[in-house]
Amino acid sequence: MTTIRPYYAEKGLSAAFYDTVTAADVRLIGDLEIYAGLLKAPASILELGSGTGRLALALAARGFSVTGIEIAPAMLAQAQAKRGELDPETQRRVEFRRGDMTAVDLKRRFDLVLCAYFTLAHVPRGAAWKNTFDTAARHLDSGGLAAFHLPLVEVMRLPGPASLDLPVLDEPAPTGGRIQLFVRERTFREEVGRLDQVLEYVELDGRGQTLRSSFEKLTYYWTEPKPFAEAAGFTPDRAPILLGGIGEIWVFRKA
Ligand SMILES: C[S@@+](CC[C@H](N)C(=O)[O-])C[C@H]1O[C@@H](n2cnc3c(N)ncnc32)[C@H](O)[C@@H]1O
């Protein structure tokens, strides 16, 4: 029987190859510029679901002061390791902590709260969304900004790839071989706004032989974010910013 891991699990390939896969995803191009353009360095940023530090480290390099909160140890460890390679001055501007964005309370305020690359969609809509917007609100002063990148529901509704045997991604791996990604299952349930996917990661060596394979479950939840934002004391700051044809960044301002 095939074991299906949760996404970002220890020993899973989604965590191990997150940076490779994300760097190859042209649909994310420009997100860093959008977030960096929301305010001027040396403003302070709280990133909810900071992963391997893709954005947090780049924002620190631009002079922002960044705290990243991440729930998955396999992702957090990579962020910590990359932080350790920075020059001491940039290192001082960025920190990563293990935590749950639906509950964390750092007892301090930031200028901007970021919840990038569909991170809010990883938790069930309902109480978890409410609690995440509350987390954003309690870490901002009046006038502070919160940005949430959410998938487009019309893209979530699309069927999976026509051929299950063709990878949706096939990239050189830092290990010298290749990493391939296959969508093995994809089901969207309209009534609950939920997309369930089983993805298979396959790592090949330099001769094309399979080294490792990992089946991982990735679920995204979607609903209108505005009511949750308003309940937490936010107002829309601008029209959502379309990114890569698959998602949009909603920017709210704390009243
Ligand atoms: C798609 S990745 C985004 C990582 C990073 N923000 C980026 O843009 O590259 C989503 C991340 O959110 C984390 N995550 C999911 N639920 C979380 C929660 N409740 N609290 C904190 N982090 C969470 C996952 O472990 C994963 O690292």
Side-chain angles (χ1 to χ4, degrees):
M1 209 181 74
T2 309
T3 305
I4 302 180
R5 292 186 170 90
Y7 227 67
Y8 314 119
E10 299 276 4
K11 301 198 177 134
L13 297 188
S14 62
F17 289 102
Y18 179 85
D19 284 346
T20 303
V21 169
T22 308
D25 193 343
V26 293
R27 302 164 309 177
L28 278 182
I29 290 174
D31 68 343
L32 171 64
E33 299 303 327
I34 292 170
Y35 300 128
L38 291 175
L39 71 186
K40 287 194 169 38
S44 59
I45 300 175
L46 172 62
E47 188 183 2
L48 304 177
S50 45
T52 60
R54 179 182 70 93
L55 291 167
L57 297 166
L59 288 164
R62 288 176 181 222
F64 293 98
S65 150
V66 190
T67 298
I69 298 296
E70 171 57 45
I71 204 164
M75 299 293 274
L76 182 63
Q78 293 181 61
Q80 303 278 27
K82 288 194 278 179
R83 177 184 178 272
E85 290 163 9
L86 297 176
D87 63 87
E89 198 186 322
T90 313
Q91 251 184 58
R92 272 194 292 278
R93 285 198 296 271
V94 58
E95 60 164 348
F96 296 103
R97 295 191 189 190
R98 178 132 196 249
D100 181 346
M101 67 183 182
T102 66
V104 68
D105 186 354
L106 300 176
K107 312 266 186 238
R108 60 170 282 214
R109 306 289 173 103
F110 295 80
D111 300 310
L112 168 69
V113 175
L114 282 188
C115 195
Y117 193 10
F118 305 169
T119 297
L120 181 64
H122 287 59
V123 298
R125 60 187 208 173
W129 278 42
K130 175 193 178 302
N131 293 340
T132 304
F133 276 97
D134 287 346
T135 295
R138 79 174 155 266
H139 290 93
L140 290 169
D141 286 317
S142 176
L145 291 175
F148 291 84
H149 182 200
L150 285 170
L152 292 176
V153 68
E154 53 269 36
V155 175
M156 292 169 73
R157 282 191 192 112
L158 294 175
S163 167
L164 293 183
D165 298 328
L166 289 178
V168 291
L169 174 138
D170 185 351
E171 283 292 315
T175 42
R178 300 192 73 77
I179 184 78
Q180 295 183 332
L181 182 56
F182 297 84
V183 178
R184 296 302 187 197
E185 285 174 33
R186 182 181 166 100
T187 313
F188 182 65
R189 284 194 287 145
E190 189 77 48
E191 65 289 2
V192 286
R194 176 176 168 151
L195 174 66
D196 287 299
Q197 302 173 92
V198 176
L199 305 180
E200 185 187 4
Y201 284 75
V202 180
E203 184 188 2
L204 307 171
D205 67 14
R207 291 172 302 148
Q209 302 295 311
T210 299
L211 290 173
R212 292 188 285 174
S213 153
S214 168
F215 287 84
E216 307 193 15
K217 187 171 169 56
L218 177 61
T219 297
Y220 288 144
Y221 300 85
W222 192 90
T223 188
E224 281 290 341
K226 211 167 133 221
F228 289 92
E230 287 172 347
F234 289 102
T235 53
D237 182 67
R238 62 194 79 189
I241 304 162
L242 189 64
L243 185 73
I246 57 162
E248 49 193 7
I249 296 172
W250 294 72
V251 183
F252 299 102
R253 191 174 290 275
K254 190 172 168 187

